[in-house]
Structures are given as C-alpha cells and as structure tokens.
Amino acid sequence: MADNNVQYTLSLKDLMTSKIKEANVAATALESTMSILGVAAGAFAGIEFLKGSVEAFNESEQASAQLDATLKSTANAANLNREALDEQALSLMNTSLFDDDAITHTQGLLATFTNIKDAIYMDAVPAIADLATKLGGDLQGATIQVGKALNDPIHGITALSRAGVSFSESQKNVIEKLQKTGDIAGAQRIILAELNKEFAGSALASATAGTGAYTVLQHQMGNVKEEIGGIVVAIGNELLPMFVSMVEGIH
C-alpha cells in the first residue's frame, strides 16, 4: 500500500511539473506574441503620425502658396509685408480658436480685395476673426463680407447690415461722402470702428474660456507636426528621383 502511495505521489508530481512547464511555454509564447504586436502597433502608430505630419505640412504649404499667389497676381496692391503676415497669423492662432493656416487663408482671400491696403488691411484680419467667432466661426464667409464692405464701402455695408452689423444713418451718410470724395480709407476706418465696437475681443474670449486653451495648444502642437512633416517631405524629395527610376524600370 505504501509503494502505491509513493508511485501515486510521484505521478502527481510529474503531472504537475509537466503542466507547469507547459504553462511557462505558453506564457513565454504569449509574451513574445504581445511584444511583436506591441512593436507592430508602435510602428503603425508611427507611420500614422508621419502621415498626419505630412498632411499638416501640405495644408500649411498650400495656404502659404495661395497667399503668395494672390500677392503676386495683385502686384501686392495692399502693400503687405510677408513676414508681418506670418507673425500676425501666429499671433491670432494664440488668441483665437483658429489655427495659423486658416488665418493665412483669410489673409490670402482678403488680399483679393485690392482697395484694402496697409494698416486697414492688417486691422481687418483680427476684426474678421472676431466677427467669425461671434457669428459662428465661418472665417471664409466673414472674410468675404468684410472684404466687400471695405473694398466698396457704400455698397458693401449692406451685406454687413444683413449679417447683423448696425450702421446708423449718420454713419452711412459719412461713409458715402468720404468714398465719393476719394477718402476710401476714411470710410473703411468707420466700418472697422463699428466692427470693433460690436465684436472686438470675441476671438480672445473664446480662446480663454472653457476648453479654448486646449484648442490653442492643439494648434501649437500641430505646428510641430508640420515641421516634422516638412523634414519627411524633404527626405522624400531627395529620394524621389530613385523612385521614379525604379518605376520607369518596371515598365
């Protein structure tokens, strides 16, 4: 009976040892699989990040190219400094819910209204951001409305009035008189003064309220992605001739 107990104990011990070894092998295999999956997931995330960076860089370059094209086609009628425009776009990005690429697009669109020049133009861009914020965030629509009003004040203020900007009869009369006597800048200043009276500070208020600060931070991080995307594109451009040769060799 004792021998049977010894044999049973040994058999049970062997069985347990075998199962423990199997469990260890399975655990090792699972760990290896998870490591591989982790590396694969990391690689995929990295590829997606680089792809997003290239897309962000392209968006920025497209907006910049359109602004340059407008300045060229209008012979820079607005008498604008490109570096000052970039600084303005960055400044408004940090004090509104709009990123700098959207502001650059606004600058390019506003520059198509060739009667808007110098300081009037530079003051109009933040006024557009305030108006767009107050009326729902449509920068392009606000740019067209303000651009038309400033480009031809007598007729342009009608559209602004329909959008909710209030001009008194006295203001309308002064605007008409100034434009007809050739002082279009004077008429434009009255329009900007009314816009600032009604909407000034709207963009900044949104950027500092609620989750506005996180939106600004997101845009700032987006600019970092743009820089990384620029590096990726530069490397791709260096390798492009080789890729072209490879494709041509296939045909």
Side-chain angles (χ1 to χ4, degrees):
M1 185 68 176
D3 290 340
N4 290 337
N5 288 337
V6 171
Q7 291 178 359
Y8 177 78
T9 301
L10 291 174
S11 297
L12 182 60
K13 182 180 179 181
D14 291 341
L15 178 62
M16 291 179 65
T17 301
S18 175
K19 293 300 182 184
I20 291 172
K21 288 181 179 179
E22 290 178 7
N24 286 335
V25 170
T28 301
L30 179 60
E31 183 179 355
S32 298
T33 302
M34 293 301 293
S35 297
I36 294 171
L37 289 176
V39 171
F44 179 77
I47 291 172
E48 286 299 302
F49 176 80
L50 292 179
K51 179 182 177 183
S53 297
V54 170
E55 290 174 350
F57 171 74
N58 181 60
E59 182 180 348
S60 175
E61 288 295 291
Q62 291 292 337
S64 182
Q66 288 302 312
L67 174 57
D68 288 336
T70 301
L71 294 179
K72 182 178 180 180
S73 67
T74 61
N76 196 9
N79 192 32
L80 303 173
N81 179 280
R82 190 65 171 81
E83 184 177 344
L85 291 175
D86 290 341
E87 291 176 357
Q88 182 185 60
L90 282 173
S91 175
L92 285 174
M93 181 189 75
N94 292 323
T95 54
S96 74
L97 297 181
F98 306 109
D99 68 18
D100 55 334
D101 296 335
I103 298 298
T104 299
H105 177 73
T106 292
Q107 292 170 331
L109 184 56
L110 187 64
T112 63
F113 298 94
T114 55
N115 284 334
I116 308 172
K117 307 176 186 294
D118 302 310
I120 296 293
Y121 175 99
M122 297 300 288
D123 290 342
V125 177
I128 289 170
D130 285 328
L131 177 65
T133 301
K134 182 70 76 175
L135 298 183
D138 183 359
L139 263 182
Q140 180 165 313
T143 303
I144 293 173
Q145 287 177 329
V146 173
K148 286 182 176 180
L150 295 178
N151 201 57
D152 183 3
I154 294 174
H155 300 99
I157 60 174
T158 302
L160 278 180
S161 297
R162 286 198 295 266
V165 183
S166 301
F167 292 98
S168 67
E169 288 302 316
S170 175
Q171 286 176 313
K172 292 177 182 177
N173 291 334
V174 173
I175 287 171
E176 182 174 357
K177 180 180 179 180
L178 289 172
Q179 184 172 350
K180 286 183 176 180
T181 57
D183 187 6
I184 190 170
Q188 291 169 336
R189 279 192 285 271
I190 293 176
I191 294 172
L192 283 177
E194 187 59 39
L195 287 172
N196 287 328
K197 176 184 175 182
E198 297 185 26
F199 306 109
S202 294
L204 178 60
S206 290
T208 54
T211 60
Y214 293 98
T215 299
V216 173
L217 178 61
Q218 184 179 18
H219 292 158
Q220 293 170 341
M221 291 176 65
N223 278 3
V224 175
K225 287 184 68 175
E226 289 174 10
E227 293 180 8
I228 295 173
I231 295 172
V232 174
V233 171
I235 294 173
N237 288 338
E238 290 291 329
L239 298 176
L240 187 59
M242 180 183 69
F243 293 142
V244 172
S245 299
M246 290 174 61
V247 171
E248 290 176 345
I250 295 174
H251 293 288

